[in-house]
Amino acid sequence: MSYAQRVIEGLKQKYASEPVFLQAVEEVLMTLQPLLDKDAKYEKNKILERITEPERIISFRVEWVDDKGEIQVNRGYRVQYNSAIGPYKGGLRFHPSVNLGILKFLGFEQIFKNSLTGLAIGGGKGGSDFDPKGKSENEVMRFCQAFMTELHRHIGATIDVPAGDIGVGGREVGYMFGQFKRLTRSYEGVLTGKNLLFGGSLARTEATGYGAVYFAQNMLEDRGENLEGKVCAVSGAGNVATYCCEKLLQLGARPVTVSDSRGMIYDPEGIKVDVLKQVKEVERASLTRYAELVPTAKHTPVAEYPEGRNAVWSVPCFAAFPCATQNELNLADAKTLLANGCKCVAEGANMPSTLDAVHAFLEAGIAYGPAKAANAGGVATSQLEMQQNAGMQSWTFETVDGKLKDIMGNIYKNAAATAKEFGQPDNLVLGANIAGFRKVADAMIAQGVC
Ligand code: NDP
């Protein structure tokens, strides 16, 4: 049994109740074997055993009072996974499905993603099982304040800098920043994704979605292709999906789908991003509202999806952009996409494709951009926000967007060159994993056992 397999088996025994965490670990570790074979120092220094264990997990009770005067209790977490190359950095997720296993999967992925950006940021993730849906503004504010009342002890501009993720956007970041400031009397860049009025960066809101499209462009350019005039399928209807659609439209492509937890929209003329923003960002409504506002669009409720699959992936497309959540694209979906002629998949969400779906894309030899490379634009731009805060500066949209574009180009080049170095030039999963891992692992070895 190889070193990687032995570590995976050990983790399976220890963390049997955390299946998505084990899935993420397996996906990364199984691609590292060529590097581990080439250099014995990683096994000698027990790097896999060390890098898979978070440096610190903070778990806490969050108490707040709802509009009816009733006490509510949620669980909050921050997983400070790895600080070898910089302060912990990664989003906060507020969703009823949140548990420690999900946050460990996200934090583990974040280590390698952040390393790939080429910037000095370690890996972390956090969140709560709080569901912002159906809550009033005041309830969301009180929850965010209660959450930060504990979290503030553990974070700081050079310690750990959280950002948004599912269920955490500008509104929630604002309430948490306000509470941090009140508790610490410190005005610092402790959160990213802030409002432009108090230290936010232009282009941060757009960055993850735009970045995924820039990554797809890089992959396609190398294959003599581009996105112009191409039909694209996008899942999700939140931050990442919205700005993925926006960039696709700017480049002359035609995104024809978006989806949320209740159903999907098929709009053959192309998604109207202004309507999507109105429905999701302003009204915070379901996509049924989009269909009310756009007569050409058809809404299919989740209950009508064939065999529980994601109906978005049955729409014939040239390129697919999964931008909703983990494991939303399975092997059957991958086969349907390939049979319909899909030539490119760039992942905006974290681990949206199951392991067997990933293998199907790699075997088919299409341009496949794994999440930790393709969606790294968000965290990279968060780091640009940290740089602006530290220097008390505000850069223009064009400056930040230009840097984002360069960073996505560099991530692609780094992943592609590493894939080539290890003899699998089209395998960006292997390239991204090895490139991201090598930098962090070498930093850990250089810093000794600590
Ligand atoms: P949002 O909360 O803005 O949007 C999430 C979207 O996905 C919503 O439309 C939501 O539907 C849908 N969704 C969530 N869970 C499910 C589910 N179980 N089934 C079906 N649909 C679901 O989140 P983001 O856009 O920020 O995040 C999307 C993905 O991108 C996540 O995987 C996140 O980790 C990843 N990501 C985000 C980054 C960022 O900068 N925001 C950075 C890097 C990665 P509904 O509206 O009904 O809730």
Side-chain angles (χ1 to χ4, degrees):
M1 206 188 270
S2 70
Y3 173 39
Q5 276 167 330
R6 272 185 282 119
V7 173
I8 292 167
E9 286 312 311
L11 290 168
K12 280 184 178 166
Q13 302 289 322
K14 209 167 162 185
Y15 299 117
S17 61
E18 297 173 357
V20 280
F21 166 63
L22 294 172
Q23 180 186 341
V25 168
E26 191 166 354
E27 188 263 335
V28 173
L29 265 52
M30 288 314 289
T31 58
L32 297 178
Q33 201 55 51
L35 175 70
L36 305 173
D37 289 342
K38 201 172 153 188
D39 199 330
K41 72 179 174 186
Y42 300 110
E43 185 168 356
K44 185 167 164 272
N45 283 282
K46 295 216 161 132
I47 288 296
L48 296 188
E49 291 86 334
R50 291 162 64 194
I51 210 166
T52 50
E53 250 338 299
E55 287 174 16
R56 191 173 301 102
I57 295 173
I58 299 139
S59 170
F60 51 96
R61 184 179 68 194
V62 187
E63 301 178 334
W64 55 284
V65 179
D66 69 17
D67 288 348
K68 293 188 205 117
E70 278 180 31
I71 297 167
Q72 299 289 337
V73 184
N74 288 96
R75 180 113 301 252
Y77 303 92
R78 185 70 182 164
V79 179
Q80 297 183 331
Y81 223 116
N82 193 296
S83 61
I85 62 167
Y88 309 105
K89 181 91 197 86
L92 296 171
R93 177 175 291 192
F94 292 169
H95 193 271
S97 66
V98 163
N99 57 41
L100 185 56
I102 287 181
L103 296 179
K104 278 175 64 184
F105 126 61
L106 291 164
F108 183 69
E109 288 281 297
Q110 198 80 44
I111 303 170
F112 309 105
K113 180 190 309 194
N114 293 2
S115 164
L116 272 177
T117 65
L119 304 167
I121 34 179
K125 200 83 190 187
S128 172
D129 58 1
F130 172 74
D131 185 359
K133 266 194 211 126
K135 304 290 189 299
S136 71
E137 280 288 325
N138 276 332
E139 287 175 328
V140 170
M141 181 178 74
R142 284 198 293 274
F143 174 80
C144 290
Q145 290 172 341
F147 184 82
M148 187 51 83
T149 298
E150 175 59 33
L151 188 68
H152 86 279
R153 300 176 218 283
H154 311 286
I155 60 176
T158 57
I159 302 169
D160 183 353
V161 185
D165 190 79
I166 291 178
V168 179
R171 173 180 66 168
E172 291 75 16
V173 167
Y175 292 146
M176 287 190 275
F177 183 77
Q179 182 72 350
F180 179 89
K181 191 164 58 66
R182 183 179 303 136
L183 292 167
T184 61
R185 293 182 298 129
S186 169
Y187 205 105
E188 56 181 282
V190 68
L191 289 155
T192 56
K194 298 186 290 298
N195 189 303
L196 295 176
L197 298 170
F198 47 88
S201 172
L202 285 162
R204 172 60 188 94
T205 308
E206 293 83 353
T208 310
Y210 278 23
V213 178
Y214 292 148
F215 195 85
Q217 264 188 316
N218 277 285
M219 291 193 293
L220 291 169
E221 255 169 39
D222 249 6
R223 293 165 176 249
E225 293 264 18
N226 62 55
L227 287 162
E228 206 180 330
K230 306 289 193 331
V231 171
C232 300
V234 178
S235 66
N239 170 270
V240 182
T242 301
Y243 293 96
C244 175
C245 288
E246 184 167 286
K247 183 50 72 179
L248 286 170
L249 289 162
Q250 286 172 10
L251 295 176
R254 185 152 48 99
V256 294
T257 61
V258 281
S259 65
D260 65 11
S261 51
R262 300 210 210 136
M264 78 166 257
I265 285 289
Y266 173 62
D267 190 345
E269 290 183 352
I271 295 297
K272 278 76 179 166
V273 170
D274 52 342
V275 178
L276 184 60
K277 286 181 186 172
Q278 171 66 26
V279 171
K280 284 292 171 186
E281 291 175 11
V282 181
E283 298 181 23
R284 295 181 187 273
S286 143
L287 284 173
T288 47
R289 176 84 179 120
Y290 182 103
E292 281 168 24
L293 297 170
V294 180
T296 50
K298 178 175 184 292
H299 182 264
T300 309
V302 169
E304 289 175 24
Y305 285 10
E307 295 152 16
R309 283 168 51 192
N310 190 339
V312 168
W313 312 129
S314 63
V315 173
C317 64
F318 170 81
F321 294 86
C323 297
T325 193
Q326 65 270 9
N327 290 332
E328 54 160 316
L329 194 165
N330 64 22
L331 179 61
D333 296 320
K335 284 183 177 165
T336 307
L337 280 168
L338 293 169
N340 285 335
C342 177
K343 294 283 184 293
C344 171
V345 176
E347 297 182 336
N350 282 310
M351 205 169 71
S353 311
T354 56
L355 270 174
D356 46 10
V358 173
H359 290 142
F361 294 141
L362 292 176
E363 266 166 40
I366 63 162
Y368 170 66
K372 68 174 71 63
N375 75 23
V379 75
T381 309
S382 274
Q383 206 274 5
L384 300 178
E385 183 174 327
M386 289 162 71
Q387 285 186 41
Q388 291 169 78
N389 292 166
M392 294 194 167
Q393 291 176 344
S394 305
W395 301 339
T396 63
F397 188 96
E398 290 69 27
T399 302
V400 181
D401 190 36
K403 285 178 189 281
L404 167 66
K405 217 175 195 170
D406 289 347
I407 290 168
M408 296 316 293
N410 289 335
I411 293 173
Y412 173 69
K413 278 190 211 130
N414 189 6
T418 309
K420 205 166 162 200
E421 180 190 338
F422 287 89
Q424 298 188 44
D426 286 336
N427 189 341
L428 294 178
V429 177
L430 177 138
N433 285 344
I434 292 185
F437 170 84
R438 189 158 45 183
K439 180 177 172 188
V440 178
D442 290 351
M444 287 171 72
I445 293 170
Q447 289 171 24
V449 178
C450 50

